[in-house]
Amino acid sequence: MLGLGLALATLSRMRLVIARCSVDYTGRLSAHLPMAPRLLMLKADGSILVHADGGSYKPLNWMTPPCSLKEEDGLWTVTNNKSGDTLRITIEEILHDTTHELGVDPGLQKDGVEAHLQELLAADPTPIGEGYSLVRREFPTAIGPVDLMCRDSEGVSVAVEIKRRGEIDGVEQLTRYLELLNRDPLLAPVQGVFCAQVIKPQARVLAEDRGIRCVTVDYDTLRGTVDDSQPTLF
């Protein structure tokens, strides 16, 4: 219990740094951001995100956990402990540097359709996969609950992330869950299923590249309001 408490406390901390910096990423590809003022977000799970004022909500560059940060004078080196990819942040000037305790996050409150999809698929997970059985809804992890934890017909654990619209952010979210769950010898190997009413092509490509199966479901059919015996054009 003490370990769990410490983990929850750690996960609630975030460091925000505004700095004039340049960023160089080295991994499966290389990328460079020239010197400019940017927001650096460092989360307690080890991830780091580099934001600019434009570009909507998406970071310009980032590193997902598990990773480590080495701080030197004027240089931060972030290394992904799994892939070996590196993010080198050269800092010319720090304009702001604060750390905040955010407390225990209550989790995302899903909209009515998304929550109802989860409820319907928990009652009958066979639309996700033939022979699937439910283990638990909102399966807890240190970084948030998995929508559904199931077992397939062979008893293999399957983590299911459910969205109304399947986008890249949802795939990234499920990827983080799978990385964590597969460290548990009582669960591993854990497969992943990304389930939504509509899945964007880019999200599908990313999911399949990571070995995550994509499933689309129809809300009305799950509710039983559509008569599948009637022929349709598509």
Side-chain angles (χ1 to χ4, degrees), residues 1-12 44 142:
M1 291 298 293
L2 178 60
L4 177 59
L6 289 173
L8 288 174
T10 301
L11 286 167
S12 66

Side-chain angles (χ1 to χ4, degrees), residues 36-70:
R38 295 189 177 90
L39 169 64
L40 310 175
M41 298 176 61
L42 295 89
K43 298 185 178 182
D45 64 2
S47 60
I48 182 167
L49 301 94
V50 181
H51 283 274
D53 188 39
S56 185
Y57 64 91
K58 293 186 178 180
L60 299 172
N61 217 322
W62 64 91
M63 187 70 77
T64 56
C67 55
S68 56
L69 169 64
K70 180 181 180 182

Side-chain angles (χ1 to χ4, degrees), residues 48-231:
I48 182 167
L49 301 94
V50 181
H51 283 274
D53 188 39
S56 185
Y57 64 91
K58 293 186 178 180
L60 299 172
N61 217 322
W62 64 91
M63 187 70 77
T64 56
C67 55
S68 56
L69 169 64
K70 180 181 180 182
E71 290 190 50
E72 299 173 303
D73 187 23
L75 178 65
W76 293 3
T77 303
V78 185
T79 304
N80 186 289
N81 300 335
K82 188 174 181 180
S83 67
D85 294 2
T86 59
L87 197 67
R88 294 168 58 87
I89 303 173
T90 302
I91 297 177
E92 184 178 87
E93 180 184 8
I94 291 181
L95 306 173
H96 177 86
D97 187 349
T98 57
T99 300
H100 302 269
E101 294 288 346
L102 303 183
V104 178
D105 192 275
L108 178 67
Q109 301 297 314
K110 301 178 185 297
D111 65 36
V113 172
E114 193 169 308
H116 201 194
L117 278 173
Q118 184 188 125
E119 180 182 342
L120 292 167
L121 290 169
D124 178 15
T126 55
I128 304 170
E130 191 65 33
Y132 274 35
S133 59
L134 178 69
V135 175
R136 178 171 173 174
R137 288 181 64 183
E138 301 291 336
F139 188 88
T141 78
I143 57 174
V146 179
D147 288 338
L148 301 181
M149 179 62 75
C150 298
R151 292 195 186 278
D152 66 13
S153 58
E154 298 180 356
V156 175
S157 299
V158 183
V160 183
E161 182 64 26
I162 300 170
K163 300 293 184 186
R164 184 168 58 87
R165 291 178 57 84
E167 302 189 25
I168 285 177
D169 286 352
V171 178
E172 295 285 5
Q173 181 182 359
L174 180 54
T175 299
R176 293 192 293 271
Y177 289 147
L178 290 171
E179 287 178 351
L180 189 64
L181 292 167
N182 274 299
R183 299 179 201 170
D184 187 341
L186 298 178
L187 293 173
V190 182
Q191 298 178 355
V193 173
F194 190 50
C195 181
Q197 290 181 281
V198 177
I199 298 177
K200 288 193 172 181
Q202 300 94 328
R204 185 180 293 274
V205 169
L206 180 62
E208 292 175 352
D209 180 67
R210 295 180 176 180
I212 296 171
R213 188 165 61 87
C214 293
V215 174
T216 55
V217 293
D218 182 81
Y219 180 59
D220 289 330
T221 300
L222 291 176
R223 289 194 305 166
T225 59
V226 173
D227 185 357
D228 291 334
S229 67
Q230 296 299 318

